[in-house]
Amino acid sequence: MVARNTICLWYDGTALDAATFYAQTFPDSAVNAVHHAPSDFPSGKQGDVLTVDFTVAGIPCIGLNGGPAFKHSEAFSFQIATDDQAETDRLWNAIVGNGGQESACGWCRDKWGLSWQISPRVLTEAVTSKDTAVARRAFEAMMTMRKIDVAAIEAAVRG
């Protein structure tokens, strides 16, 4: 059954590589189907991988090998909530260590240019706290980080 709403992500011939990496890295993720072009198209030939149906953390996606015309940007990202520092480290290191790039405040970019926010739940809870002093301290601590340091966020919450 085709999902009613699916995220379509544009790749330059690497949709299957990206989908396979996501399936191996994120829980509740899988490569569901690979579809080959029925004829030549502007960025490929008949038989090339045209689209890949995959799931990332429960979200249905299609990777389209549309060619070099469009690039990913930070205007779209996946935000992955983590339970602890070990999970944060594992996901962050998988993305950055596989040709990705660090950014600020828990953001990183994979080697295909897709942005990810690796966000420990403790951070989200702290910066949305009804206690504005707690929220401010946690937010200010986060602003100094690349990968989120759970212990530092917890210390900021305690004041």
Side-chain angles (χ1 to χ4, degrees), residues 8 20 47 59 77 84 104 108 133 147:
C8 183
T20 301
I59 299 172
S77 66
D84 54 29
C108 56
K147 177 174 61 177

Side-chain angles (χ1 to χ4, degrees), residues 112-129:
W112 301 279
L114 190 61
S115 291
W116 298 84
Q117 298 176 59
I118 308 302
S119 301
R121 294 181 201 285
V122 67
L123 171 64
T124 303
E125 292 166 5
V127 298
T128 61
S129 174

